[in-house]
């Protein structure tokens, strides 16, 4: 009997140790994090079929996290949770039916609580959810940009029924990518401070004064590479933003510069100037080394690749291009922002490169006004990839998509041998205010002869006149920058609608040759009208579809250049849309799960408002029955774990240990 009791004690304590170690002691490796406001931190790690979140919120009331496809509150899928005065954790799957009302209970509870506690200042909840719960009330979490919605309150619901306090809620939203799985834990400069192998190169602007007479400024500064004696690899770069100036920065791009070294050295001794002035020569800087846009926190290269800094074979000079926006035309704004590069002499297997695919920023890129959906495409043709990509291909591992204010969707399409393959990257809910690098789930292979298309979809309903392609934010662009390895001698792969295509799309048959304003000769009803007048007076509402068809199916001019900015030889003057024999069809898996409906939820309609009074005597039993109340009791001690700790111990487990020990005495 004693031997049996001894073995049982070892089994029980071993079992409890495994529970504590796996649930609390081991810690959870978070791949991503975001500070939603000064009091709300969210961490998450995507898995194969679900994603795990942890919220750490400076409140002892309730907290909420939700997802929507736009910045409107109605239609938000939301989870609400809190720890009550008895130490019980409540987690409720809800939805926002009406923006003026509190989130209402879902009939199917699809969030799974893993951890919950309070300390002196914070409420911490950890939970998971499948990407697709098959519940029509739950938003499917996809690789698109998601609007993450949060709210919290100093007070918590008075009962498990979850009627939220009437006042005092703090709310907000911001766009995020949720699905991308990083090959490495999220790193920051602080992580790198203790790594002596890493060196820092800061590429910064110097006292750039924003003008008050215009709302945008494109500024370029040439800088010399760091003083190193042999090849290094950049393993991460990140923005360095002057405090208070974030709202004025739209994007920063670092270009490699080639050409006359004496001229570049002279340019590097200055603090820069306005980019691309017609009366000022610009250095040949066309190959992108790194790019940062709104919302980006920087980029970690994968373990197998890094960007090469090579004093012997690589460029020695770089140009930092910064687009500033100042819509209010604030005065006395000076900026010293830029990019920080972390590099090491411990080389990785491959040199990484950046390939730019899209539409050349030119007036021929026309976006008609007042349209809910306008599609523009930039082509990287087979002749271009065939000349530059080796037979074993290149591996694209991340992309950043770039439009200006009108962009709504972006795809990087791939056609091989007449078959359109799965897009290399796609965002059906693109947000121009959030342009972060998107790490691909797995590297995409691109082979010689592949035809790539950067496809951008715009909404121009807010514009009363046409929008033309260009570099300012009031103009538009369509660009996908793809990071890949091993590096090849191809940096830019653009296209531009041909002039005959543009004229045909506007119903113009022939122009009058000569100097001065460009005038129309044919058809007769347009004779003498200038091209600009035609653009402004064209009946876009009536003729939009014919314009769209002519633009997408007409000829275009391919533009391919190497890292020195030299156009590839043998390119066609005009090219055609690729012949696609087999189109890509997105597959959707049918939902097999039936929403779990228990007795309580079936009493309520799906649109039922659980905020209505419920018999207080039945609050507890109803809450337990419908899965609102998680029956794990956690420590609510004022000396409990701080936010972010995974060392919370369950009261119920502690009581269980004591009971078992007592039983075996």
């Amino acid at each position: 009997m004693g031997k049996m009791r001894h073995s049982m004690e070892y089994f029980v304590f071993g079992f409890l140790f495994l529970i504590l170690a796996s649930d609390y002691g081991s810690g959870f490796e978070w791949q991503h994090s975001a500070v939603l406001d000064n009091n709300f931190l969210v961490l998450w790690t995507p898995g194969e079929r679900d994603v795990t979140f942890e919220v750490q919120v400076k409140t002892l009331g309730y907290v909420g996290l939700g997802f929507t496809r736009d910045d409107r509150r109605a239609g938000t899928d939301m989870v609400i949770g809190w720890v009550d005065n008895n130490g019980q954790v409540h987690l409720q799957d809800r939805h926002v039916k009406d923006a003026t009302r509190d989130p209402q209970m879902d009939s199917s509870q699809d969030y799974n609580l893993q951890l919950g506690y309070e300390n002196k200042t914070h409420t911490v909840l950890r939970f998971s959810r499948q990407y697709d719960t098959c519940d029509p009330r739950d938003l499917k979490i996809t690789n698109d940009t998601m609007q993450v919605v949060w709210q919290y309150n100093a007070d918590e619901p008075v009962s498990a029924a979850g009627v939220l306090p009437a006042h005092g809620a703090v709310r907000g939203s911001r766009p995020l990518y949720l699905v991308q799985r990083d090959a490495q834990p999220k790193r920051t400069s602080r992580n790198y401070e203790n790594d002596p192998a890493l060196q820092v190169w800061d590429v910064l602007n110097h006292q750039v004064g924003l003008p008050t007479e215009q709302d945008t400024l494109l500024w370029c500064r040439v800088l010399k590479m760091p003083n190193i004696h042999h090849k290094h690899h950049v393993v991460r770069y990140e923005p360095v933003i002057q405090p208070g100036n974030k709202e004025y920065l739209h994007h920063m791009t670092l270009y490699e510069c080639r050409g006359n070294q004496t001229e570049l050295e002279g340019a590097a001794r200055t603090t820069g100037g306005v980019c691309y002035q017609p009366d000022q020569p610009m250095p040949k800087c066309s190959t992108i080394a790194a790019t940062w846009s709104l919302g980006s926190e920087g980029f970690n290269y994968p373990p197998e690749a890094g960007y090469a800094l090579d004093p012997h074979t690589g460029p020695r000079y770089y140009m930092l291009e910064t687009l500033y926006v100042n819509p209010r035309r604030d005065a006395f704004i000076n900026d010293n922002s830029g990019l920080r590069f972390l590099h090491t002499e411990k080389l990785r297997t491959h040199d990484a490169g950046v390939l730019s695919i899209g539409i050349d920023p030119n007036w021929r890129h026309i976006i008609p006004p007042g349209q809910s959906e306008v599609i523009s495409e930039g082509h990287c043709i087979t002749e271009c990839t065939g000349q530059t990509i080796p037979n074993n291909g290149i591996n694209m591992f991340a992309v950043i998509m770039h439009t200006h204010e009108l962009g709504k969707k972006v795809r990087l399409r791939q056609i091989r041998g007449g078959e359109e393959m799965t897009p290399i990257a796609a965002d059906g809910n693109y947000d121009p205010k959030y342009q972060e690098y998107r790490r691909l789930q797995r590297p995409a292979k691109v082979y010689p002869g592949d035809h790539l298309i950067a496809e951008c979809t715009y909404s121009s309903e807010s514009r009363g006149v046409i929008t033309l392609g260009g570099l300012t934010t009031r103009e538009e662009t369509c660009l996908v920058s793809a990071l890949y390895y091993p590096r090849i001698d191809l940096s830019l792969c653009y296209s531009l609608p041909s002039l005959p295509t543009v004229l045909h799309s506007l119903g113009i048959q022939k122009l009058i040759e000569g100097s001065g304003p460009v005038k129309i000769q044919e058809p007769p009803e347009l004779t003498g009208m200038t091209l600009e007048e035609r653009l402004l007076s064209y009946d876009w509402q009536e003729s939009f579809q014919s314009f769209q068809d002519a633009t997408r199916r007409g000829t275009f001019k391919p533009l391919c250049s190497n890292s020195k900015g030299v156009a590839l030889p043998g390119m066609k003057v005009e090219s055609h849309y690729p012949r696609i024999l087999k189109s890509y069809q997105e597959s959707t898996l049918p939902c097999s799960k039936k929403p779990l409906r228990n007795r309580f939820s079936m009493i309520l309609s799906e649109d039922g408002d659980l905020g209505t009074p419920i018999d207080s005597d039945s609050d507890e039993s109803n809450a337990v029955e419908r899965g609102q109340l998680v029956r794990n009791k956690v420590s609510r001690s004022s000396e409990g774990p701080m936010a972010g700790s995974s060392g919370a111990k369950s009261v119920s487990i502690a009581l269980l240990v004591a009971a078992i020990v007592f039983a075996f005495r």
Side-chain angles (χ1 to χ4, degrees):
M1 180 72 178
K3 184 176 181 181
M4 189 172 106
R5 186 178 74 176
H6 186 71
S7 300
M8 182 65 72
E9 286 176 357
Y10 270 102
F11 172 81
V12 170
F13 281 108
F15 176 73
L16 291 173
F17 173 79
L18 287 174
I19 292 175
L20 293 171
S22 61
D23 285 353
Y24 302 110
S26 62
F28 197 92
E29 182 115 342
W30 299 108
Q31 289 187 4
H32 307 283
S33 66
V35 177
L36 301 183
D37 76 356
N38 292 333
N39 297 319
F40 201 123
L41 172 68
V42 59
L43 307 103
W44 73 98
T45 293
E48 289 297 326
R49 296 184 178 180
D50 60 8
V51 55
T52 302
F53 296 93
E54 182 168 298
V55 293
Q56 303 175 4
V57 190
K58 191 175 181 181
T59 183
L60 299 182
Y62 78 82
V63 301
L65 185 73
F67 317 102
T68 182
R69 292 185 64 83
D70 52 40
D71 54 6
R72 294 177 297 177
R73 194 162 171 264
T76 299
D77 171 21
M78 194 163 230
V79 61
I80 297 286
W82 71 96
V83 182
D84 68 20
N85 291 328
N86 297 318
Q88 292 178 317
V89 185
H90 302 254
L91 194 74
Q92 301 175 346
D93 186 354
R94 297 188 174 211
H95 65 275
V96 179
K97 179 185 175 185
D98 186 334
T100 63
R101 303 174 68 187
D102 285 333
Q104 301 171 56
M105 199 78 65
D106 282 9
S107 57
S108 175
Q109 296 289 300
D110 298 302
Y111 287 83
N112 301 308
L113 183 74
Q114 297 181 1
L115 172 68
Y117 61 85
E118 284 183 350
N119 57 33
K120 289 181 178 180
T121 58
H122 285 70
T123 296
V124 178
L125 298 173
R126 184 185 299 172
F127 50 87
S128 63
R129 206 210 83 170
Q130 290 186 350
Y131 295 124
D132 186 1
T133 67
C134 301
D135 181 353
R137 288 297 186 192
D138 291 340
L139 185 69
K140 185 177 179 180
I141 297 176
T142 69
N143 204 38
D144 295 341
T145 302
M146 307 290 289
Q147 288 288 337
V148 175
V149 179
W150 71 91
Q151 70 180 66
Y152 58 94
N153 199 305
D155 298 319
E156 61 190 36
V158 295
S159 72
V163 179
L164 302 183
H167 305 288
V170 179
R171 298 186 177 95
S173 68
R174 65 165 285 185
L176 285 173
Y177 299 152
L178 295 177
V179 176
Q180 62 175 351
R181 293 193 284 277
D182 205 335
Q184 306 175 88
K186 183 180 177 66
R187 297 186 183 274
T188 65
S189 294
R190 186 175 299 173
N191 300 136
Y192 284 120
E193 287 173 358
N194 298 323
D195 190 340
L198 289 173
Q199 300 177 42
V200 175
W201 178 33
D202 282 345
V203 179
L204 305 176
N205 287 297
H206 181 72
Q207 290 295 307
V208 178
L210 271 61
T212 56
E213 65 274 10
Q214 58 192 53
D215 59 6
T216 61
L217 172 67
L218 194 62
W219 189 264
C220 289
R221 184 185 185 190
V222 175
L223 303 101
K224 193 173 183 179
M225 73 176 295
N227 186 23
I228 55 177
H229 302 293
H230 51 269
K231 181 178 175 180
H232 281 213
H233 268 155
V234 172
V235 297
R236 173 176 170 81
Y237 66 85
E238 58 195 27
V240 179
I241 299 176
Q242 181 174 323
N245 283 8
K246 186 175 182 179
E247 64 178 297
Y248 302 107
L249 289 162
H250 185 271
H251 73 254
M252 296 182 286
T253 302
L254 189 71
Y255 294 93
E256 299 175 358
C257 296
R258 311 281 180 165
N260 188 294
Q261 297 296 295
T262 303
E263 293 178 359
L264 289 169
E265 185 176 352
R269 287 195 290 264
T270 72
T271 59
V274 178
C275 303
Y276 316 118
Q277 294 295 294
D279 57 339
Q280 296 179 2
M282 284 293 295
K284 293 181 179 179
C285 308
S286 58
T287 299
I288 293 177
T291 184
W292 171 90
S293 294
L294 287 168
S296 175
E297 298 177 0
F299 185 75
N300 292 315
Y301 284 87
E304 66 271 19
Y307 175 78
L309 295 174
D310 193 333
H312 304 296
T313 62
R316 298 185 62 84
Y317 293 90
Y318 292 80
M319 183 180 76
L320 179 63
E321 175 194 272
T322 306
L323 178 59
Y324 293 98
V325 292
N326 187 11
R328 299 188 304 271
R329 304 192 181 184
D330 296 337
F332 309 110
I333 304 299
N334 292 287
D335 183 66
N336 298 285
S337 302
L339 298 172
R340 172 168 295 160
F341 295 85
L342 298 135
H343 57 98
T344 177
E345 62 182 354
K346 295 180 180 179
L347 299 182
R348 298 181 170 187
T349 306
H350 300 287
D351 289 349
V354 180
L355 176 59
S356 300
I357 305 156
I359 303 175
D360 189 58
N362 188 287
W363 73 267
R364 294 187 198 173
H365 179 198
I366 299 171
I367 300 175
Q371 303 299 320
S372 60
E373 191 170 279
V374 182
I375 298 175
S376 300
E377 293 162 319
H379 297 264
C380 180
I381 64 174
T382 59
E383 289 82 359
C384 185
T385 61
Q387 280 194 42
T388 55
I389 296 179
N391 289 335
N392 55 355
I394 59 173
N395 304 280
M396 289 186 177
F397 58 87
V399 301
I400 188 169
M401 303 168 176
H402 183 56
T403 75
H404 290 160
E405 296 176 350
L406 302 182
K408 294 299 179 184
K409 300 177 185 178
V410 182
R411 291 197 300 169
L412 180 56
R413 298 166 57 194
Q414 183 178 20
I415 294 97
R416 179 181 300 157
E419 178 181 353
E420 180 164 8
M421 307 172 70
T422 303
I424 293 174
D427 191 341
N429 196 47
Y430 176 81
D431 187 338
K433 299 184 184 66
Y434 183 63
Q435 301 185 32
E436 176 66 283
Y437 262 113
R438 181 189 303 269
R439 187 180 296 277
L440 304 182
Q441 302 296 320
R442 58 188 60 84
K445 203 77 176 181
V446 180
Y447 288 104
D450 284 0
H451 186 115
L452 304 176
I453 303 176
E455 178 188 278
C456 297
T457 303
Y458 308 94
S459 172
S460 61
E461 291 176 306
S462 61
R463 299 275 174 94
V465 296
I466 61 169
T467 301
L468 302 179
L471 297 173
T472 71
T473 54
R474 286 294 295 177
E475 297 169 316
E476 263 306 338
T477 189
C478 178
L479 176 64
V480 177
S481 296
L483 274 76
Y484 70 92
Y485 65 83
R487 180 165 174 165
I488 59 175
D489 196 20
L490 176 66
S491 65
L492 183 149
C493 205
Y494 286 172
S495 71
L496 180 65
S498 67
L499 185 57
T501 293
V502 173
L503 297 179
H504 177 63
S505 68
L506 297 172
I508 300 172
Q509 298 171 359
K510 188 176 182 180
L511 296 176
I512 299 174
E513 297 182 3
S515 59
V518 179
K519 292 188 176 183
I520 301 170
Q521 181 173 335
E522 295 179 1
E525 61 269 22
L526 302 180
T527 300
M529 181 183 290
T530 66
L531 181 58
E532 182 179 4
E533 289 170 342
R534 179 59 172 167
L535 286 169
L536 294 174
S537 63
Y538 192 67
D539 188 346
W540 295 108
Q541 297 301 324
E542 181 67 25
S543 305
F544 169 71
Q545 195 56 53
S546 61
F547 165 85
Q548 183 80 94
D549 293 342
T551 301
R552 296 188 68 190
R553 301 302 174 185
T555 59
F556 55 83
K557 179 182 179 181
L559 302 167
C560 301
S561 61
N562 61 21
S563 59
K564 296 180 176 61
V566 177
L568 298 185
M571 288 295 104
K572 299 177 181 178
V573 176
E574 290 186 359
S575 190
H576 290 269
Y577 204 92
R579 187 182 182 190
I580 300 176
L581 301 176
K582 183 179 179 181
S583 300
Y584 167 72
Q585 298 292 333
E586 185 174 2
S587 59
T588 56
L589 296 175
C591 277
S592 58
K593 172 196 166 187
K594 295 181 180 179
L596 177 63
R597 292 177 177 271
N598 47 45
R599 184 168 59 84
F600 182 82
S601 63
M602 292 181 68
I603 294 174
L604 300 163
S605 68
E606 289 202 359
D607 294 333
D609 185 354
L610 297 193
T612 54
I614 301 177
D615 182 7
S616 59
D617 293 336
S618 63
D619 274 356
E620 185 78 3
S621 61
N622 283 337
V624 172
E625 183 176 346
R626 67 179 181 269
Q628 293 175 329
L629 182 59
V630 177
R631 288 171 292 279
N632 291 341
K633 298 184 178 182
V634 297
S635 172
R636 195 179 169 84
S637 167
S638 61
E639 300 299 323
M642 297 299 291
S645 168
S646 58
K649 292 182 175 60
S650 165
V651 171
S652 57
I653 291 177
L655 292 174
L656 180 61
V657 171
I660 293 174
V661 170
F662 179 81
F664 283 100
R665 284 181 177 174

